[in-house]
Structure formats: structure tokens, C-alpha cells
Amino acid sequence: MPEENEALLIEEITKLKPTHFADLIRAAQLIYDPARGISGIIRNVDWEGEFGIPRDVTQNLQALGEEFRYASPHIAPEIIWSKLTPETRLWFIENKDVLWEFEEIFPAMDED
């Protein structure tokens, strides 16, 4: 049960809920591959210029998106938290309520 305790501690301190972590994974997957694996589509996105995501945060999220590229977004918060740099953790806390918007901007993987 140490993982559950850690997840509860993270939630208590940061006010981040499991849905925020799922939104972060979805955003990280999009940052890693904005075309969402659609063959023939290449998207070069200026994450800092267009979305205000600092370069070091983008790099951390790209690595996270690559690692969990095909994973369900419902990954244990303590696993995700352990992979975030301090800069990314702060950015995540500050932007937790707008992460879902990334899915609205880019096509969903399951859409035809």
C-alpha cells in the first residue's frame, strides 16, 4: 500500500486528481507525436511559441509521451510524478485544468 499512500500524498499536496494525470499523459502523447501516428502527416509544432510550454518541459513531456505512447492514460500518479522534472511538475500544477484542451486541438487516435 505504499503506492496508494504516495498517490494520496501527491494529491493532497498538489491538488492533482487522477484525471489531471490522465490529461497529462494524453498531452504528453500529443507533444511526442502531434499527428497521433496518422501515416503521412507530419506536424512541426512550436510548443513554446504556440502554447507557452517551456523547452525543458516540452522535452520532459516528449520523453513521457514516447514512453507511454500506446498506453492507456490511466497510469498510477506516483509513476508519472516520479518521471517529471521539477520544472515540469510546477508547469503541470499550474496548467492542470487546461491540459484536456490539447485533445481538442489535435485529432484523436480513434477517430476515422
Side-chain angles (χ1 to χ4, degrees):
M1 295 260 202
E3 293 86 17
E4 272 186 40
N5 291 338
E6 186 176 351
L8 290 172
L9 185 61
I10 291 168
E11 184 177 329
E12 185 179 316
I13 292 170
T14 64
K15 305 299 183 216
L16 294 167
K17 306 278 185 208
T19 54
H20 294 125
F21 284 92
D23 289 344
L24 180 69
I25 289 297
R26 288 186 200 100
Q29 290 168 333
L30 284 166
I31 289 170
Y32 172 70
D33 182 9
R36 298 297 297 245
I38 298 172
S39 180
I41 295 178
I42 298 172
R43 289 194 173 154
N44 295 315
V45 179
D46 178 2
W47 296 104
E48 188 166 21
E50 292 181 43
F51 297 98
I53 305 172
R55 185 170 308 201
D56 58 334
V57 172
T58 298
Q59 290 172 342
N60 187 207
L61 292 177
Q62 284 175 332
L64 190 69
E66 181 178 19
E67 181 175 349
F68 296 107
R69 185 176 189 181
Y70 299 112
S72 163
H74 303 286
I75 299 163
E78 63 276 6
I79 292 172
I80 299 168
W81 190 254
S82 71
K83 297 178 181 295
L84 302 180
T85 63
E87 295 82 10
T88 304
R89 288 176 178 181
L90 180 60
W91 180 87
F92 178 29
I93 292 167
E94 291 173 351
N95 292 279
K96 68 182 184 271
D97 294 323
V98 296
L99 291 173
W100 64 270
E101 294 175 2
F102 283 98
E103 284 191 286
E104 300 297 317
I105 297 168
F106 296 94
M109 289 176 79
D110 59 351
E111 288 184 2
D112 295 334

